Amino acid sequence: MTDATRQRVGARSTQKRADVLQALDACQDFVSAQQLYTRMTASGLQVGLSTVYRTLQALDRGGRLDTVRDTDGERLYRWRSPSGHRHYLICRRCSRSQAVDTDAVELWVEHISATSGFADVEHTLELSGLCPDCHPPAR
Amino acid sequence: MTDATRQRVGARSTQKRADVLQALDACQDFVSAQQLYTRMTASGLQVGLSTVYRTLQALDRGGRLDTVRDTDGERLYRWRSPSGHRHYLICRRCSRSQAVDTDAVELWVEHISATSGFADVEHTLELSGLCPDCHPPAR
DNA sequence: GTATTTGCAAAGTGTTTGCAGAATA
DNA sequence: TATTCTGCAAACACTTTGCAAATAC
């Protein structure tokens, strides 16, 4: 996971896609397609919004991203952690995220899955709060 | 909670709002504003989409609804269960929902809240699967 | 040279809002 | 009568898609 930008996305490897990958890799946190696009163009890269969307879609389909939904319904993306499925605690103010240990929840979900009568149980768990930096002073 | 339709929503009580409340009450499950609107007009009620949205917004602001986000980003609403905060397991095919016992998760969230350094931790937990009716035959 | 990818603009979602007319208190 | 509410249409934000030009192989 050192150089994530060297991953294969579509049938061909292109500069634009490498740019998107690099920009995404530079983000330590969740970003929306729009944010990524804005950052890229702001830093001088020439890329189309559709390309950003399409690249993220492709990565998501390939299961290489964690995605989450913003309160406003915007989709946020982040490289999937190497160890697979994770959940994050996201700051409502600055959007910084931090992975949390979810073993207890995963076990509980398995239990539900086994006893509910439902099949193929999937789960989404989103935690938000105010991080230490945003919490004490302003509020 | 017997007759939920008799709740106060805005400053005045109107027929249209009562209609929305009744339609919502008739749903045992999560519905989107659009679905509710469609059902209402389909059953002969004359109402505007904006009114449905505004009524749901008002109820939501008043904390009288549970809301969740559809996979497509659509917002789904449901009367809040009388006992407060709940989580549901929703069928991906027929949208039927079933409340699940989330004590374990609630405890875990409290633990995170206490040890993460984050303040005001809120959580969203969404479970989806295929219910018994949708599961065995078709897939 | 052929198939994929790109970017623009247009179309498509679900949701919100401005405003004039209708309804409530 | 003075507010509040309603419904339409227009505005919005995010996302997807059609298509011709550019690019990778």
Side-chain angles (χ1 to χ4, degrees), chain A residues 2-139:
Chain A
T2 324
D3 195 355
T5 54
R6 212 162 298 164
Q7 303 222 357
R8 174 177 219 88
V9 177
R12 297 185 181 172
S13 75
T14 70
Q15 187 54 51
K16 300 304 170 84
R17 236 147 23 195
D19 292 345
V20 176
L21 291 177
Q22 191 185 130
L24 183 60
D25 191 46
C27 296
Q28 287 298 312
D29 261 314
F30 284 99
V31 274
S32 68
Q34 307 266 357
Q35 287 171 341
L36 204 56
Y37 168 75
T38 305
R39 290 189 197 176
M40 291 178 71
T41 54
S43 68
L45 287 170
Q46 194 174 324
V47 69
L49 184 55
S50 337
T51 302
V52 175
Y53 271 106
R54 284 192 275 233
T55 305
L56 290 173
Q57 271 178 359
L59 288 169
D60 190 26
R61 264 187 260 113
R64 292 209 273 272
L65 298 180
D66 281 326
T67 76
V68 96
R69 261 187 198 280
D70 190 287
T71 333
D72 307 323
E74 208 176 5
R75 238 185 291 258
L76 303 180
Y77 305 86
R78 186 202 218 272
W79 278 116
R80 167 153 300 185
S81 77
S83 48
H85 185 75
R86 297 304 312 257
H87 290 293
Y88 302 91
L89 174 52
I90 303 182
C91 178
R92 275 195 292 279
R93 166 161 300 182
C94 69
S95 285
R96 176 197 308 181
S97 80
Q98 141 181 346
V100 293
D101 175 39
T102 46
D103 289 350
V105 175
E106 301 295 335
L107 284 172
W108 174 84
V109 169
E110 276 177 39
H111 173 70
I112 293 294
S113 183
T115 60
S116 63
F118 277 55
D120 271 336
V121 176
E122 294 175 357
H123 66 284
T124 303
L125 172 62
E126 291 168 24
L127 295 165
S128 66
L130 293 170
C131 77
D133 286 351
C134 296
H135 167 227
R139 200 266 140 102

Side-chain angles (χ1 to χ4, degrees), chain B residues 76-108:
Chain B
L76 303 179
Y77 305 86
R78 185 202 220 270
W79 278 116
R80 167 153 302 184
S81 78
S83 48
H85 186 76
R86 297 304 312 256
H87 291 294
Y88 303 91
L89 174 52
I90 304 183
C91 177
R92 274 196 292 279
R93 166 163 300 181
C94 68
S95 284
R96 176 197 307 182
S97 80
Q98 142 180 345
V100 293
D101 175 41
T102 46
D103 289 351
V105 175
E106 301 295 335
L107 283 172
W108 175 83

